[in-house]
Amino acid sequence: MEETAMNLKKRIQSGERVLGTMVTTFDTPDLAKILKVCGFDFFIIDCEHGSFSYDGCSRMIGVARSIGLPAIVRIPGPLREPALKFMEMGAAGLLLPNTECAEDARKLVGFTKYAPMGRRGVSLSRPHTDFMKVDGRAYMERANEETLLLCQIESRAGVEHVEEILAVEGIDIAFMGPNDLSQDYGLLGQYGHPEIAAAFERVIRAAKDAGKASGTHFGGMEPLARWIKAGMTVNMCSSDIGLMQMGAKSMRAWLDEHTKQ
């Protein structure tokens, strides 16, 4: 696995704040280069809601590896096939959506970590080794250490079991999904509601107690800033389409204002 993935994990483990964004729409390998130029520390390819093909993801992950920008994939669920394929492509890690119990977390670890920690299939002449000849056992130990695994907490059940989820060896980050979380609480979009705030606070506390990290993803900067200040260190803001729309709208508004007749 590329050295940058380990660097990201070390930064996270040291408590450093890192910022990424979600890739939801644009299926182009050059997007990784654009995001790096913009200063992002990582990005996540959304293969839960997104319609990306394996081939498209492989190209994007390949470019990301070549330029030293960690690419993580949000998989559809705790399923062996996508977990294995994205790791073989060279993803820096995986995000499991709607994690509600320790068993979900154990499945994720099992699919992505080599024995004895997990049961990931062994095929070493692949993009994840950059097609180099490697010492199998040494490589697998290093890959187990470097791979980042995030469990997305986005339901009442996930919040209630977050301590058990974070206790699973191999899980690195509790990552909040505010849209689905607020929907599950019957408070869709009410991110400042006391119940939603309490859920966030519990996850932050559980991660600190477990010696692990927490984070979240918001489309806007203002709601995200609150939780960065509260101690969340692995966060994402907006998305590929959101950033494009933000820039386009800002450009149009500026031009309209400064070119009035």
Side-chain angles (χ1 to χ4, degrees):
M1 186 172 294
E2 77 278 21
E3 186 64 24
T4 53
M6 190 60 194
N7 288 343
L8 178 65
K9 190 164 185 176
K10 286 179 178 177
R11 291 170 65 191
I12 291 169
Q13 290 174 335
S14 72
E16 184 178 342
R17 293 177 182 172
V18 295
L19 183 67
T21 194
M22 185 76 79
V23 175
T24 66
T25 305
F26 297 131
D27 183 5
T28 171
D30 286 334
L31 190 57
K33 297 179 182 179
I34 295 168
L35 294 176
K36 184 172 184 179
V37 167
C38 291
F40 286 103
D41 300 298
F42 69 96
F43 66 96
I44 296 182
I45 304 171
D46 186 6
C47 289
E48 180 195 14
H49 295 286
S51 58
F52 298 107
S53 67
Y54 281 135
D55 189 48
C57 289
S58 179
R59 292 194 297 270
M60 202 180 309
I61 292 168
V63 171
R65 284 176 65 86
S66 73
I67 64 172
L69 181 65
I72 297 168
V73 180
R74 178 159 69 176
I75 57 178
L79 305 168
R80 181 181 184 275
E81 178 184 328
L84 179 61
K85 285 185 182 295
F86 291 126
M87 293 307 300
E88 302 293 272
M89 291 175 198
L94 301 178
L95 169 62
L96 179 65
N98 197 32
T99 310
E100 295 194 324
C101 62
E103 182 57 27
D104 291 342
R106 281 191 287 267
K107 286 181 180 179
L108 180 64
V109 173
F111 296 147
T112 55
K113 303 284 190 175
Y114 293 109
M117 185 180 292
R119 53 187 184 280
R120 175 179 171 182
V122 180
S123 183
L124 300 180
S125 296
R126 301 283 179 176
H128 64 96
T129 62
D130 295 317
F131 301 101
M132 294 187 294
K133 183 175 179 59
V134 296
D135 178 294
R137 175 47 55 194
Y139 170 78
M140 289 188 286
E141 289 177 358
R142 182 182 175 202
N144 278 358
E145 181 183 358
E146 294 179 356
T147 298
L148 274 166
L149 295 182
L150 300 79
C151 284
Q152 194 158 19
I153 308 301
E154 45 189 348
S155 69
R156 189 183 294 272
V159 173
E160 291 175 351
H161 296 109
V162 67
E163 292 84 4
E164 300 160 32
I165 291 166
L166 285 168
V168 174
E169 183 184 7
I171 299 303
D172 301 293
I173 300 158
F175 193 80
M176 301 290 281
N179 287 341
D180 284 341
L181 181 75
S182 61
Q183 174 181 250
D184 195 58
Y185 275 75
L187 299 164
L188 182 61
Q190 299 181 50
Y191 307 125
H193 191 281
E195 277 195 88
I196 302 302
F200 270 76
E201 289 161 1
R202 177 169 176 176
V203 169
I204 293 170
R205 184 169 58 252
K208 287 181 178 178
D209 289 347
K212 298 183 178 182
S214 63
T216 189
H217 176 207
F218 278 100
M221 294 173 281
E222 187 173 342
L224 178 60
R226 172 182 180 179
W227 297 111
I228 292 176
K229 291 176 181 178
M232 287 189 155
T233 57
V234 184
N235 299 291
M236 296 203 302
C237 190
S238 196
S239 66
D240 52 354
I241 192 70
L243 293 169
M244 187 201 76
Q245 290 178 326
M246 187 188 308
K249 289 176 180 178
S250 176
M251 177 270 293
R252 179 58 191 261
W254 190 95
L255 285 173
D256 288 345
E257 176 63 25
H258 290 81
T259 58
K260 290 178 179 177
Q261 296 295 328

